[in-house]
Structure formats: structure tokens, C-alpha cells
Amino acid sequence: MKKGLLALITATIGILVAVPLKAGVHVTVAPEPVEKPVAFRTAENKYVTTFTGGFLNLSGEKIGSKQIFTIIDLNGSDLADGDPVKIRYTPGGLSADKAKSSYWLETVEGIKRNSGGSVFKIKLVETKYAFQTPSGKFMTGVVTANVIGLSDKLANALLLELVDLS
């Protein structure tokens, strides 16, 4: 009987070592956001530009410090249709103090900048990008009082080329 019990214990230990136990807990690790320095160029070869007071316009004719942004891909992959992103502007350039940064923000008036910002959704249209706001509207090429306008339709969206500044 002792030999039978010993054989059973030995067999049980062998099975436990050979077959990993599953605890029934599934752990997923959130992806790390990917940051990329970019400039946003319109079809008219103008650039999205920061303006004093947290504003944005489309007046840039070349890439300078006020046309450099960081696009933050929140799901950590290459930019693709539907990806959630934030867009940061850091005065003084990419290596400056990020505590002074501002982010694109959806407001009733349109797109401006503030310390918190909004999460936009990327919409890929051929080789260009449109930005959809949290409310489902699209950023347009209409600028009123240094605020970039919004539209309910993707057909009216401002299509931007991302100029990679890495």
C-alpha cells in the first residue's frame, strides 16, 4: 500500500511538472505610446502653425519651431486608420521642457491648444491623414480667429501629409 501511494504521488508530481497550470487570469499589457516629431503639410504646401494664446492656423510657409509637433500614437503601433492619437506642441523645440507643452483640443469653436488636449482618431484617406475629434467631427481647412474649423463630414476634412522630422 505504501508503494502504491508513493507511485501515485510520484505520478501526480510528474504530471504537475509536465503540464503547466492555468490560473484562469489573462493579463494584457497596455502598449507603450509611440511619439514621432512631425510637421503637418496641406495640399497648398502650407503648414499647421501654432499661434500665441493656444491657437492654430494654416499660415506656415516653411517648417520652423512653430510648425513642429509630436504625434503620439496611443496604441503604440505604426499609424493606421482608426488609431487614437494626441498631438503635442512644445515651445522651444522637441528637446525643450515638456511641462510647457500644449495639445490639440476640440472645442465648440474648433481645434485649439491647451494643457490637456483631446484624443483624436486618425482617418487614412489614400496617402493623407484626416483627424476625427472625440465628438465625431473632422478638422477642416477653414480657420476663423486662429481656430481650425470642424465639419460633420469626412468629405470636408482637411487632408494632411505628415512630414517625418525624426
Side-chain angles (χ1 to χ4, degrees), residues 24-159:
V25 176
H26 181 69
V27 177
T28 56
V29 177
E32 288 291 320
V34 173
E35 297 187 6
K36 180 185 234 179
V38 297
F40 298 102
R41 183 170 38 215
T42 69
E44 294 79 28
N45 283 325
K46 297 286 187 176
Y47 294 91
V48 176
T49 301
T50 62
F51 193 78
T52 304
F55 297 109
L56 295 165
N57 62 37
L58 304 174
S59 66
E61 295 187 5
K62 62 181 182 171
I63 299 172
S65 64
K66 293 185 181 273
Q67 291 76 33
I68 298 173
F69 297 89
T70 301
I71 190 163
I72 305 164
D73 188 351
L74 298 174
N75 71 1
S77 63
D78 290 334
L79 279 180
D81 190 57
D83 278 359
V85 299
K86 286 188 89 168
I87 301 152
R88 179 178 67 226
Y89 169 70
T90 304
L94 298 171
S95 60
D97 182 8
K98 288 181 183 167
K100 296 178 182 177
S101 294
S102 59
Y103 297 82
W104 289 12
L105 171 75
E106 177 187 20
T107 67
V108 174
E109 297 88 21
I111 305 299
K112 300 187 328 189
R113 295 178 294 117
N114 83 352
S115 60
S118 298
V119 174
F120 293 81
K121 192 177 284 187
I122 288 280
K123 291 295 179 183
L124 186 59
V125 181
E126 296 178 14
T127 61
K128 308 245 188 265
Y129 295 91
F131 292 90
Q132 188 175 26
T133 66
S135 71
K137 296 183 185 248
F138 295 91
M139 189 169 90
T140 70
V142 177
V143 178
T144 306
N146 290 308
V147 177
I148 298 178
L150 299 172
S151 172
D152 292 327
K153 298 179 182 178
L154 178 58
N156 298 333
L158 174 65
L159 300 180

Side-chain angles (χ1 to χ4, degrees), residues 4-19 21:
L5 184 58
L6 184 59
L8 180 61
I9 292 171
T10 304
T12 304
I13 291 173
I15 290 171
L16 290 174
V17 169
V19 179
L21 295 176

